[in-house]
Amino acid sequence: MGKTTIIDHPLISHKISLLRDERTGTRDFRNIVEEIAALMAYEVFRDLPTENVDIRTPIGDASVPVLSGRKPAIVPILRAGLGMVNGLLSVMPSAKVGHIGLCRDEVTHEPREYYVNMPKHIEERLVILPDPMLATGGSAIHAVDFVKKHGCRGIKFMCIIAAPEGLSALEKAHPDIDIYVGTLDKGLNENAYIVPGLGDAGDRIFGTD
Ligand code: PRP
Ligand code: URA
């Protein structure tokens, strides 16, 4: 079974409050999304396995832990997930990066896939799917379906803000994945936007509203 972690950390909460503020402009918004992704990475990668290797320090011999196990692949959900990639790469620079392009239909709110590109042998990797927003859950569920069809297991989804509706839907559709949430908001409005949320994450990252 997977687990859901709501990350309750003052640094992350403070930065999410800055994102919510409509006065925060594109440059700051983009930088803060990246910073939050890097901070969340500590929790997302907390259970990475390690193995001990023998080295010599300037003082003497030591058996020390290094990362072992499957290598990670970061697969952002385009567009907005792209904003989290550099933050994750800042702590995991050797990760491969894939892409899943999804956009929500404005009326039905169902995701439409428009682009995919996966690293080779993705099924051998630990897959991390970042997307700032989990609203109805449709996009996240579709992305997890996609990587599972490629044989991936041990999948982690991470978002900055989730609506309870989307979180429940994702947990129900994919009970085996780990989910990391920066903060849980009240719910969705009639346009399936998160309330209070931060607006359209992609538009605010790329300045396209
Ligand atoms: C946003 C967001 C998620 C999705 C969440 O993307 O980044 O991918 O909506 O909504 P859901 O949980 O109801 O599926 P959007 O489709 O607006 O595309 P964009 O990233 O290109 O702006
Ligand atoms: N996508 C966003 O970018 N924001 C929302 O609140 C919901 C979906």
Side-chain angles (χ1 to χ4, degrees):
M1 282 301 279
K3 68 175 191 318
T4 294
T5 306
I6 312 282
I7 301 173
D8 183 21
H9 190 288
L11 267 179
I12 293 177
S13 305
H14 177 81
K15 288 176 191 292
I16 293 175
S17 301
L18 296 174
L19 291 183
R20 292 187 192 280
D21 191 328
E22 64 179 7
R23 295 169 300 180
T24 302
T26 303
R27 186 179 60 170
D28 287 340
F29 192 93
R30 196 181 284 150
N31 287 340
I32 296 164
V33 166
E34 198 173 309
E35 287 170 5
I36 292 172
L39 291 171
M40 289 183 72
Y42 284 88
E43 202 55 45
V44 172
F45 292 124
R46 179 184 286 284
D47 59 0
L48 287 185
T50 60
E51 65 187 8
N52 274 28
V53 296
D54 295 331
I55 59 147
R56 196 165 162 74
T57 78
I59 307 300
D61 293 333
S63 174
V64 295
V66 294
L67 292 176
S68 65
R70 282 182 300 156
K71 300 211 174 343
I74 299 166
V75 181
I77 302 174
L78 309 187
R79 285 177 302 167
L82 272 181
M84 298 171 76
V85 172
N86 282 345
L88 292 167
L89 287 176
S90 70
V91 295
M92 190 57 84
S94 62
K96 301 276 192 235
V97 179
H99 297 89
I100 300 185
L102 300 178
C103 69
R104 289 199 319 178
D105 183 280
E106 281 183 12
V107 178
T108 65
H109 310 128
E110 290 295 317
R112 181 177 61 79
E113 187 181 296
Y114 59 86
Y115 180 76
V116 287
N117 193 332
M118 292 293 128
K120 276 200 196 101
H121 303 301
I122 183 85
E123 73 285 354
E124 292 171 8
R125 293 184 172 267
L126 168 68
V127 173
I128 295 113
L129 296 165
D131 189 332
M133 309 303 274
L134 179 65
T136 65
S139 304
I141 291 169
H142 183 100
V144 177
D145 282 340
F146 181 88
V147 293
K148 279 188 175 174
K149 275 189 202 128
H150 279 67
C152 300
R153 294 292 175 265
I155 298 157
K156 292 172 181 279
F157 172 84
M158 62 187 290
C159 64
I160 296 177
I161 302 182
E165 297 90 325
L167 183 58
S168 306
L170 181 58
E171 288 173 333
K172 195 163 163 223
H174 294 294
D176 54 326
I177 70 164
D178 291 331
I179 303 171
Y180 301 85
V181 176
T183 193
L184 193 59
D185 269 12
K186 287 201 190 81
L188 298 174
N189 69 12
E190 60 284 3
N191 296 319
Y193 271 81
I194 301 176
V195 181
L198 50 70
D200 188 304
D203 281 346
R204 295 196 65 192
I205 291 169
F206 297 106
T208 51
D209 56 0

